[in-house]
Amino acid sequence: MVFIMRNSLFTYLAIFSLLSNFCSCFNSKLLTLNVTKLQSDSNWSPAQVSWYGSPNGAGSDGGACGYGEAVGKPPFSSLITAAASSLFKSGRTCGACYQVKCTANTACSGKPVTVVITDECPGCDSEPVLFDLSGTSFGAMAISGHADQLRNAGLLQIQYRRLECNYPGVLLTFRVDTGSSAYYFAIVIEYVNGDGELAGVELKPLNSFSWLPMQKSWGAVWKINSQSPLKAPFSIKLTGDSGKSLVANRIIPAGWKPGQIYKSVVNF
């Protein structure tokens, strides 16, 4: 009888130990999952936003990046934003993409909206405003049919995060600045996938064996001055903020004209 009781007690203790170990492992996995979820949510940062321009417009006409009328057309489609000087970085972040979302107003949908930096908001540095969205971008954060209600709120607390740019089916575009000549060449570069912003641009004329560095002029405009005539066609090398590079071979043809737009066959 004692032997049976001891065996029963041993069996009970063994089962209890197994259950304890199982619970310990199970809780550990739950903790890991919770931490992972917390980390995935932590890439959103708080900010405040306002909006400018017409309610359904693209803010200003092109803004401080030099994109001009392109901001109101696909693929930008008026989903753009001006940025405070601290984020605009003298035009370095022109073309950078962000997601914004709001939940602080009953008209907020809480769904992310992707916007592109195309303009600067100098006065935003003196206020708790990081982004000055176009009327279209601001309204896009609203529940369907409540865009005007959300825009009437004026200033909103939101969340934002940086993400890679993605323009499906759209390739890099180069618009030659109107002041360009054989001795001074400048271009506006649009629709950069990936980083969005560029760390460097280089030009290779037909009469050069090496890449010639271009300088940031303003916004998304890059320029080069030359003491001797630059002979086209030109190839252009782009380096993104992450260090990735690509080359648009002979993208600017012989006989190019100021103001012309030339579309490449490449993108990041």
Side-chain angles (χ1 to χ4, degrees):
M1 183 69 175
V2 173
F3 177 77
I4 295 173
M5 289 181 66
R6 285 178 177 173
N7 277 350
S8 298
L9 180 59
F10 178 81
T11 302
Y12 174 78
L13 291 173
I15 293 173
F16 179 79
S17 177
L18 286 172
L19 286 174
S20 297
N21 289 335
F22 174 77
C23 292
S24 176
C25 293
F26 183 71
N27 288 337
S28 176
K29 289 179 180 178
L30 277 181
L31 179 60
T32 301
L33 290 173
N34 287 337
V35 169
T36 301
K37 185 177 185 301
L38 181 62
Q39 289 174 341
S40 67
D41 289 343
S42 65
N43 59 356
W44 289 93
S45 300
Q48 284 189 310
V49 294
S50 56
W51 64 278
Y52 73 122
S54 62
N56 298 297
S60 61
D61 185 15
C65 287
Y67 295 131
E69 295 179 356
V71 297
K73 301 174 182 178
F76 290 145
S77 302
S78 300
L79 291 171
I80 57 88
T81 183
S85 300
S86 57
L87 181 62
F88 188 72
K89 298 178 182 177
S90 299
R92 179 179 171 81
T93 56
C94 282
C97 296
Y98 288 83
Q99 281 188 327
V100 294
K101 64 178 181 179
C102 72
T103 57
N105 187 288
T106 56
C108 291
S109 70
K111 297 179 180 178
V113 175
T114 301
V115 296
V116 184
I117 291 181
T118 63
D119 202 0
E120 182 179 14
C121 179
C124 292
D125 285 324
S126 60
E127 301 289 338
V129 179
L130 183 59
F131 296 102
D132 196 19
L133 302 175
S134 68
T136 298
S137 298
F138 202 93
M141 296 189 297
I143 299 169
S144 179
H146 291 75
D148 287 335
Q149 178 185 336
L150 188 62
R151 281 189 287 261
N152 287 338
L155 196 65
L156 279 180
Q157 181 74 29
I158 63 146
Q159 290 183 302
Y160 76 98
R161 66 180 177 184
R162 178 75 183 272
L163 79 163
E164 290 193 341
C165 296
N166 183 23
Y167 303 105
V170 179
L171 298 173
L172 283 167
T173 299
F174 301 85
R175 176 160 47 87
V176 180
D177 188 74
T178 54
S180 295
S181 68
Y183 297 88
Y184 168 82
F185 184 76
I187 48 171
V188 180
I189 305 170
E190 299 172 339
Y191 319 134
V192 180
N193 275 342
D195 296 332
E197 61 186 272
L198 295 171
V201 179
E202 298 168 86
L203 182 98
K204 182 185 280 188
L206 183 65
N207 56 338
S208 176
F209 292 102
S210 59
W211 289 100
L212 308 177
M214 300 185 76
Q215 291 78 43
K216 174 67 76 81
S217 178
W218 61 277
V221 183
W222 293 79
K223 68 178 181 178
I224 185 170
N225 290 287
S226 178
Q227 294 182 349
S228 58
L230 298 166
K231 188 176 181 180
F234 302 144
S235 295
I236 298 175
K237 180 191 289 186
L238 309 180
T239 301
D241 198 49
S242 64
K244 293 181 180 179
S245 296
L246 62 75
V247 174
N249 283 309
R250 300 194 170 201
I251 182 60
I252 308 298
W256 59 267
K257 296 180 180 179
Q260 286 288 101
I261 295 174
Y262 299 98
K263 295 183 179 181
S264 73
V265 292
V266 295
N267 209 333
F268 284 97

